[in-house]
Amino acid sequence: MTVLLFDDPAIRPNLLPFTFTRPVAALRCGILTLAEKWEHRLGQEAHYLTEPYLQAKFPAAPAEGPALVINGAVCADDLLARQVQALQPGEALFDGELLVAAHLADAGKVAELIQDGFQQVKQVAEPVTVITQPWHLFLRNGAEIRRDFALLTKGRESQPVNDPHTIVYAPENIFIEEGVKIRAAILNAEDGPIYLGKNSQVHEGAIIKGPLALCEGSHINSGAKMRGDNTVGPHCKVGGEVGNSILLGYSNKGHDGYLGNSVIGEWCNLGADTNTSNLKNNYAPVKIWSHAAGRFVNTGQQFCGLMMGDHSKCGINTMFNTGTVVGVAANIFGAGFPRNFIPSFSWGGPAGFETFRLPKVAEVNERVMARRGLPYDEVERGIMQHVYELTAKDRAWERTGPVADTNTTIEL
């Protein structure tokens, strides 16, 4: 049976800018992506039902045959997975009015069947965890690390630390995959588990407090201070001070500076001494830009830092104000605080912005991805082209006159 994770049309727009470049279920919260949480529990590969321009990179299900159709914004747990597997053809599972999953006889008629209703509707045994806003990713990250840790390590034996100069607290809450290298670090798992993925590295003087997920091939640099509830996605490098934040993958925050209550997309780079504010001076709830609403919305959270879409970069000493949202493929530099909403394909900073044109974006993306042995191919170019067109309305300066291309080089 096919497992199909669909983008809920009422949820996906609220998760921009991250869902400009991926389905909802490809977001990472905890150790795993939302899709991987389902794959591990259901024992098979999941497919995606997402926007047409993303479908080439994130393949859809076979065109026919029975399918379990699951809301891609829902985080799996063991009980929920059992309820989904127990669904009979024509049955659907809801949490209140939220469609969680359905068993359909024909995967090729998903849209029609969902719209027309189901033969029988059931309610979940317990309320589900749903990612409906960007800040939900870091808010629920600690709990999801604990849940994923239990899933991934059950019945398995951790590799040893094998470094006499590393100090370990609560070793029973630490799991080390093969190929991990640790040198003269402090690992404190008293308040939550620490998961070190395959071929990851913890460098000299790093201080790690759990919960923490360090995914495959990633590095925590010398002297880093990881304060808890952090996820470092695959093939990232992280330094400085980090608290309750997620790097989705292939991104670098290699130097000193503070990152708190933030989500950083893929292929991003934060220049040396970049700092994020995650608390307003008056301690008021933080408002952030909503692409769906077209305005700033109240998160209801006292702590909220930076939301940065894929392929965005910032120069050294960049200062991000509380609740800043940066779109896809933005390049930010200059002294002072830039605006709290930086549209996709922006080039500039506090002194003003112009458009980061697609040919220039392609040059940078080719170089950056080549360093990891990955191509910036026609599929990636097609996604960037589509997002560029989708986000033109956000770049207000394009409506006031022509924008010059730039060949300025900045230090990252």
Side-chain angles (χ1 to χ4, degrees):
M1 181 184 299
T2 299
V3 174
L4 182 60
L5 302 170
F6 70 91
D7 285 355
D8 190 321
I11 295 176
R12 179 187 176 271
N14 295 322
L15 293 169
L16 301 171
F18 303 111
T19 50
F20 275 135
T21 48
R22 61 176 56 75
V24 173
L27 291 168
R28 188 175 304 275
C29 185
I31 302 172
L32 303 170
T33 67
L34 277 60
E36 290 167 345
K37 297 175 193 293
W38 285 107
E39 290 174 336
H40 277 275
R41 289 177 171 87
L42 300 179
Q44 64 183 97
E45 181 183 7
H47 300 266
Y48 299 92
L49 180 61
T50 186
E51 297 296 304
Y53 75 93
L54 294 172
Q55 211 73 80
K57 184 176 180 179
F58 300 92
E64 56 185 25
L68 279 176
V69 181
I70 302 171
N71 192 321
V74 174
C75 295
D77 60 38
D78 293 342
L79 174 60
L80 182 58
R82 290 195 295 270
Q83 288 183 274
V84 170
Q85 287 176 311
L87 289 173
Q88 299 301 307
E91 290 183 341
L93 187 65
F94 280 76
D95 183 358
E97 296 183 357
L98 177 74
L99 174 60
V100 174
H103 185 159
L104 303 182
D106 187 354
K109 298 181 179 179
V110 171
E112 295 91 333
L113 289 169
I114 291 177
Q115 186 174 2
D116 293 342
F118 305 95
Q119 297 174 11
Q120 185 174 351
V121 172
K122 296 183 175 181
Q123 288 289 325
V124 294
E126 296 179 353
V128 300
T129 298
V130 192
I131 305 298
T132 61
Q133 298 289 346
W135 58 89
H136 289 171
L137 290 167
F138 70 75
L139 279 178
R140 293 164 185 173
N141 198 47
E144 287 300 312
I145 289 174
R146 289 180 171 89
R147 185 180 286 171
D148 291 346
F149 184 90
L151 175 69
L152 293 174
T153 65
K154 184 178 181 180
R156 300 176 61 211
E157 183 175 347
S158 171
Q159 298 295 309
V161 171
N162 279 340
D163 178 62
H165 305 293
T166 291
I167 301 171
V168 176
Y169 298 91
E172 68 277 8
N173 294 332
I174 298 173
F175 195 91
I176 302 170
E177 299 282 4
E178 292 184 0
V180 173
K181 182 184 291 186
I182 309 170
R183 294 292 181 266
I186 298 174
L187 308 180
N188 185 349
E190 292 176 331
D191 294 333
I194 294 174
Y195 176 85
L196 303 180
K198 184 178 179 182
N199 297 325
S200 61
Q201 294 190 38
V202 180
H203 293 266
E204 296 81 356
I207 302 172
I208 297 176
K209 184 176 176 61
L212 173 125
L214 182 66
C215 296
E216 181 174 354
S218 288
H219 292 237
I220 295 179
N221 289 350
S222 298
K225 298 181 284 291
M226 310 297 290
R227 294 175 48 185
D229 293 336
N230 289 310
T231 291
V232 182
H235 307 290
C236 294
K237 294 180 180 177
V238 174
E241 184 180 5
V242 185
N244 193 193
S245 295
I246 300 173
L247 285 78
L248 296 181
Y250 296 95
S251 291
N252 292 336
K253 180 208 170 302
H255 305 286
D256 285 345
Y258 177 62
L259 182 70
N261 302 95
S262 298
V263 182
I264 307 299
E266 293 185 341
W267 305 107
C268 296
N269 187 77
L270 305 184
D273 288 320
T274 291
N275 284 284
T276 62
S277 169
N278 65 337
L279 175 67
K280 297 177 70 173
N281 286 357
N282 62 2
Y283 287 63
V286 179
K287 295 181 179 181
I288 72 169
W289 179 263
S290 167
H291 286 82
R295 57 181 173 83
F296 287 90
V297 298
N298 193 340
T299 66
Q301 303 301 313
Q302 195 172 65
F303 293 92
C304 186
L306 171 66
M307 306 287 146
M308 177 179 277
D310 288 5
H311 291 286
S312 287
K313 317 283 192 296
C314 68
I316 60 173
N317 297 312
T318 301
M319 299 187 296
F320 288 108
N321 226 321
T322 320
T324 296
V325 174
V326 178
V328 174
N331 204 313
I332 306 147
F333 53 91
F337 287 96
R339 57 191 291 190
N340 286 38
F341 168 51
I342 300 172
S344 298
F345 302 94
S346 296
W347 176 282
F353 287 97
E354 58 187 65
T355 302
F356 195 10
R357 297 295 190 185
L358 276 175
K360 298 293 185 181
V361 171
E363 288 180 17
V364 175
N365 291 357
E366 285 177 359
R367 295 189 196 108
V368 170
M369 294 181 69
R371 295 176 67 204
R372 303 296 176 87
L374 295 174
Y376 184 63
D377 56 20
E378 291 306 311
V379 171
E380 297 287 349
R381 289 173 184 272
I383 292 172
M384 285 292 106
Q385 175 73 47
H386 198 91
V387 176
Y388 185 85
E389 295 167 0
L390 280 177
T391 58
K393 64 183 185 301
D394 296 329
R395 297 185 290 275
W397 57 85
E398 292 187 358
R399 299 192 292 272
T400 61
V403 178
D405 281 339
T406 179
N407 291 309
T408 307
T409 300
I410 60 170
E411 183 65 36
L412 295 176

